Amino acid sequence: MSVASPYPKAVPEANRYIGQRSQKLKGDQFLTGKTEYVNDLELLGTVHMSVLRSPHPHALIKKVDLSRVRQDPRCISALDGEEAKEHADPIPHFISAAVFGGKYNDVRVIATGKVTYRGQIVAAVVAPSRGDADALLDLIDVEYEVLPFVLDGDEALKPGAPLLYDTEGWEDNVVIRIPFVEGDFDAAAAAADHTLEDTFYHHRYSTQPIETRGYIASWDSRAEAYTLHFATQNPHPLRWVLSAALRVNESQIRIIAPTIGGGFGLKMPGHPEEGLTCVFSRILGKPVKWIEERDEALLFGAREHLHRFKVAFNSDGKIVGLRNHFTANVGSISACPGWGMAFLAGLSFPTGYKVPNTDVVVTAVTTNKAPWQAARGYGKEGPQIVMERIIDLVAEATGIDPAEVRRRNFIHKDEFPYKTNSGLNIDSGDYHQALETALKMLDYEGFPARRAAALAEGRHIGFGIAFELTPESADIPGTIVGGYDTSTVKVGPSGEVTVLTGVTTPGSGNDGGIAQIVADTLGVDLDGITVIQGDTDICPYGFGNYSGRSMVSGGNAALLAARDIRVKLAKVAAFMLEAAEDDLVFDQGKISVAGTDKAVAIKDVANVVYTLAFATAHMVEPPLEATRVYKPDNIVHFPDEKGRIQPYPTYSNAVHVAIVEVDIETGKVDLQRFGVLHDCGNMINPMFVEGQMHGAAVMGFGAALSEECKYSADGTLLADRFKTYMMSRANEIPMIEIEHQVTPSPFTLLGVKGAGEAGVGGAAGAIINAVNDAIRPLGARLRRTPAAPPYVLAALKEARQ
């Protein structure tokens, strides 16, 4: 089912492709294995890097002895931290906490002085092969002075806790503390019919794209320039990061991002290995290659919040106040943008609900765990899970149906744009209708009878609901996270169309969506369009891939550029056809006069522009090229009267529903059915949108049921491979039922909203609520993720005791 909506006037009159399920560009190459990834590339003379990582979570580096490794004939080069300092400065932070008034610490390509997590790089070696380089690590001798360490966020906040950093300003382990306060919670709680208090622990887990990170750095001494083939989501921002760290101009760095096998935030800039491969390449004058191993990728988890909340509500289920002071254990300080997820977690409360009084405070604390990576959802998935638990707890306390509590607290469709307590300006939506549609997908009305029948058989099944609001397409002031982007459209003398854009694709197909927009705007066939991304020497400046921004920023920029070219083509065609420009129709590769059989091929008009520029095409300026930047509305960086900014232009929403069965003997959760009603505004390609939701939902399944970056007491990451980091398997995933609702954004040219980050939190929230629904008759309550058997059994044991 799809609730239709007319497209804004900016969309062309002939929509052959926009809104259609067109196949992925170059999809056959993916299916046949012809696509090249970084690890497929082997430049002439390539040598290979491996890094030695600290075995301690916290220690002083007393001495690094490279003498034995340098004597080995396989060793081409080796560096410790002090030597690396001669070649590279600290890595600029992609999003620095200092911008928001927090603390900052230098991060280098190799650690100097001390290490603050197990796995931090302390030395590196280059050899002819990766196998040789790995073997040589055993010849590096490091002397450490082991220091006390702390892994738990609450413990790190206590007086006397081991301090990770001893530089100026680090009197404690707090990175930043950010309040989001509106109204008077204490007064609301005092006047409310009821209050309840509880906790919820949102655990640490990861993203794990099928392709890990990979880099090939090549220094050309004659040109004094780098050419870097990097698996990165953000080529232009990474070029800026590296230029600062490597002490060269941006013009001396060319970054080429080949096909990316998934990103999900892991491949955003700031990783030490990016600059380290460059340092070795310049020293050696050879291409240096490094491909991340899976245990290295698993180091970088994300999330780990402990929420302590108090809710004030009335007997009718209306929530009047929320207090949530939570800690975010961000691990060690990194130059990657992961810590920013803590800020977004606080900013996102109370999601799509009207709660007049809120007291939300997030405290980001550094510990001796590995740093957070940026991760899909970027912090907004945590509030979805917590708010949906709160809604169900209110329903349980009042005896009102959980769906009805949501209806009574939702923002109404007539209230959009709606400004939240934290200052976000939600663009559009119809949350009530979305809920009704989602409930019907899994027959919510008929579920009580099925539950009763199951209980009679000794089986425990549960139904979970989770609303999800996802701010997307961020622009964070003072950082290189931009909400605008650039696209260039070119039409050559033969009529072929080339699109160059600053957004990149991690494999999601956004290049195809951009091609669909340009094809309809120019009235040409989709197979006549080539889209080029990810090359800083060719593509216009752009911010790459994150925050569901590809269509919002890159697609709309391509639309503007294509419209500029269409204007030129229309002027020339009108002259050729002896017609008025307003009477022309662009469609199926030709320009025709409406209501007549007069027409001319677009390729012929393009040829005239290039070959008869002083005659037939005298009225336009050649060539047929246009570059445009698109800045969406609804981004406001000037603080309002309460000091709040608005960093997001669009807000997709969804309602997720899940049915689970819990085996109370083993604690195993079986996800039986799952459905989602999704609204991301106008869809350029529904198939790509559904692909995004399928992937995000499965990430949510893993987050809710099995995936966990679990640490031992000595600071060792125990989940160091896919045998111990339990991602969802195909046989554990039910058919994902998806329906669409369309409420266009009034703030974007195409009426689109971001669609890339939604799904993780909603899917996880629905499953956690379903598990709690299943075990509630036993008096049990699960106050954490994931709902893995040990934690479910612990909740059941607690209830029995």
Side-chain angles (χ1 to χ4, degrees), residues 388-401:
E388 295 310 304
R389 283 302 303 136
I390 287 171
I391 295 294
D392 273 21
L393 291 173
V394 170
E396 185 178 336
T398 57
I400 301 172
D401 183 88

Side-chain angles (χ1 to χ4, degrees), residues 689-702:
V689 171
E690 289 167 9
Q692 289 290 296
M693 181 53 70
H694 274 98
V698 172
M699 293 182 84
F701 297 170

Side-chain angles (χ1 to χ4, degrees), residues 140-163:
I140 301 175
D141 299 309
V142 185
E143 180 184 340
Y144 297 97
E145 180 183 327
V146 178
L147 299 173
F149 61 91
V150 61
L151 303 176
D152 180 80
D154 279 0
E155 292 297 321
L157 291 173
K158 291 181 178 178
L163 287 178

Side-chain angles (χ1 to χ4, degrees), residues 243-302:
S243 71
L246 300 173
R247 308 166 188 158
V248 296
N249 298 323
E250 288 187 68
S251 59
Q252 292 175 270
I253 299 176
R254 179 185 184 184
I255 295 179
I256 302 169
T259 305
I260 305 296
F264 312 120
L266 176 66
K267 294 171 184 173
M268 294 181 76
H271 296 281
E273 298 88 352
E274 296 160 349
L276 191 52
T277 54
C278 297
V279 167
F280 274 119
S281 180
R282 187 162 186 175
I283 291 172
L284 299 172
K286 295 175 178 289
V288 176
K289 184 176 185 178
W290 178 78
I291 302 296
E292 184 179 47
E293 298 291 339
R294 184 58 63 182
D295 61 340
E296 294 173 310
L298 280 162
L299 273 176
F300 300 99

Side-chain angles (χ1 to χ4, degrees), residues 259-479:
T259 305
I260 305 296
F264 312 120
L266 176 66
K267 294 171 184 173
M268 294 181 76
H271 296 281
E273 298 88 352
E274 296 160 349
L276 191 52
T277 54
C278 297
V279 167
F280 274 119
S281 180
R282 187 162 186 175
I283 291 172
L284 299 172
K286 295 175 178 289
V288 176
K289 184 176 185 178
W290 178 78
I291 302 296
E292 184 179 47
E293 298 291 339
R294 184 58 63 182
D295 61 340
E296 294 173 310
L298 280 162
L299 273 176
F300 300 99
R303 317 163 185 95
E304 189 175 356
H305 307 155
L306 179 57
H307 297 264
R308 296 179 174 89
F309 55 83
K310 182 176 181 179
V311 188
F313 55 98
N314 291 326
S315 297
D316 61 359
K318 287 280 190 73
I319 300 173
V320 296
L322 168 65
R323 170 171 285 156
N324 181 15
H325 292 190
F326 67 98
T327 56
N329 181 348
V330 302
S332 181
I333 297 298
S334 164
C336 296
W339 83 269
M341 296 174 62
F343 165 63
L344 268 301
L347 184 70
S348 297
F349 280 100
T351 70
Y353 299 102
K354 293 190 293 184
V355 181
N357 303 283
T358 52
D359 175 11
V360 176
V361 180
V362 53
T363 301
V365 56
T366 184
T367 68
N368 293 111
K369 289 185 176 179
W372 278 9
Q373 64 179 31
R376 188 181 203 172
Y378 202 69
K380 295 160 286 189
E381 66 282 9
Q384 320 293 350
I385 301 170
V386 174
M387 277 304 302
E388 295 310 304
R389 283 302 303 136
I390 287 171
I391 295 294
D392 273 21
L393 291 173
V394 170
E396 185 178 336
T398 57
I400 301 172
D401 183 88
E404 182 59 29
V405 174
R406 287 171 171 82
R407 293 185 188 102
R408 296 181 185 183
N409 288 281
F410 272 149
I411 302 164
H412 195 272
K413 65 179 181 180
D414 297 332
E415 296 177 286
F416 294 106
Y418 181 91
K419 199 157 199 177
T420 70
N421 291 8
S422 60
L424 300 178
N425 194 44
I426 306 175
D427 49 358
S428 64
D430 188 344
Y431 303 163
H432 292 83
Q433 181 57 53
L435 176 64
E436 301 313 312
T437 303
L439 295 177
K440 290 177 183 177
M441 292 172 70
L442 268 58
D443 186 21
Y444 184 64
E445 286 189 5
F447 186 76
R450 300 202 301 278
R451 185 212 310 276
L455 277 174
E457 298 171 0
R459 295 168 43 240
H460 294 264
I461 63 173
F463 195 111
I465 308 168
F467 173 79
E468 179 180 47
L469 177 71
T470 309
E472 304 212 53
S473 308
D475 190 302
I476 302 178
T479 74

